[in-house]
Amino acid sequence: MGLKHPERTRVTGRRLRRIVPLAGFVVLALGLSGCATDNQFERVGMPVMRTTTGEHILHLWQGAWIAAILVGIVVWGLILGSAFWFRRRSDDEVPVQTRYNLPVEIFYTIFPIIMVVAFFAHTVRVQNFALDESAHPDVTVNVVGQKWEWTFNQTAPDGKNVFVSGTGQNIPTLVIPVHKTVKFDLYSPDVIHDFGIPSFGMRMDVVPGEHNSYQVTPISTGTFAGKCYELCGVYHSRMLFNVKVVSWNDYQTYLTSLSKNPAHTSDQPVLGGAYSSTPYLNGDDNEETSK
């Protein structure tokens, strides 16, 4: 005994083949519509990236979400479709009993491998772009994360080292220029922190004795929130800072004003002592180095 309504089954299959691509197109449109707008609803909760690096990372996220949703649609369509197509339609009917389906088995064996390879290739491509560093960045910022505040060192037009530092009650502001390559050199004299700006799409651990760094190129002006992404201790919640992206002329004016204030100048970058640049070996070695 077989199916009693083959024509109805074929019609249902044709409808499903039309619905799945349409649903995929809707999901794709929703994902791509969130690339540039500032409206949370229009962006479907996706962030707006303010750096070239962040845009590449956001596109990777969006592609992964769209692929995952499309796979979910296909899987649920196969599960619910099978239950509907091969259901018992009368008490005296026994649905077709299928032990295996070679095309389907090949599909669910090969397709996941293709997906993993595609995800891996795109991830490596974006990772290489995000971690690539210019040998001659336009601006270099020596970032110091310590318990529990941030210090930002830069070089003023007159060659002086200028810095700003904050406290739990006074959140510091880092000023950088728009459309310029900015390198962050990361230092810590005490515990592991993590320096990141959500709107820039990048963050990186700040490890005592290790020289980590990354570069970004801001693409729009504005003020953005930054924070420590690593649970660094009792006052981790106070490890906050702001980033103000301004024009190049305003940036030069800001550095010049800092260089005229002795409270914000130093002969060398303020990095927090020997622990921030000396790899930890053991207690005796570190103690000797810090003297």
Side-chain angles (χ1 to χ4, degrees), residues 43-122:
R43 291 189 287 107
V44 200
M46 291 283 184
V48 175
M49 294 301 176
R50 305 296 185 177
T51 63
T52 54
T53 302
E55 287 186 328
H56 281 75
I57 295 174
L58 176 60
H59 293 161
L60 178 65
W61 290 350
Q62 290 173 327
W65 275 105
I66 292 171
I69 292 173
L70 291 178
V71 170
I73 291 174
V74 172
V75 171
W76 280 105
L78 290 174
I79 293 174
L80 299 178
S82 298
F84 177 80
W85 293 330
F86 300 107
R87 73 189 187 280
R88 174 177 288 184
R89 291 178 171 78
S90 63
D91 293 338
D92 60 349
E93 176 190 3
V94 177
V96 174
Q97 306 299 302
T98 302
R99 292 181 297 174
Y100 60 88
N101 187 307
L102 187 58
V104 172
E105 291 179 5
I106 294 176
F107 171 77
Y108 68 60
T109 301
I110 300 300
F111 189 71
I113 297 176
I114 296 175
M115 287 186 58
V116 169
V117 172
F119 278 135
F120 179 79
H122 285 292

Side-chain angles (χ1 to χ4, degrees), residues 6-22 84-85:
E7 183 62 30
R8 185 171 61 181
T9 301
R10 286 194 293 271
V11 172
T12 303
R14 286 196 296 270
R15 290 177 179 175
L16 186 62
R17 285 193 294 271
R18 294 173 183 174
I19 293 174
V20 170
L22 178 61
F84 177 80
W85 293 330

Side-chain angles (χ1 to χ4, degrees), residues 144 146 187-190 209 269-278 289-290:
V144 184
Q146 62 268 351
Y187 301 92
S188 171
D190 39 56
V270 180
L271 302 181
Y275 286 103
S276 64
S277 56
T278 304
T289 303
S290 63

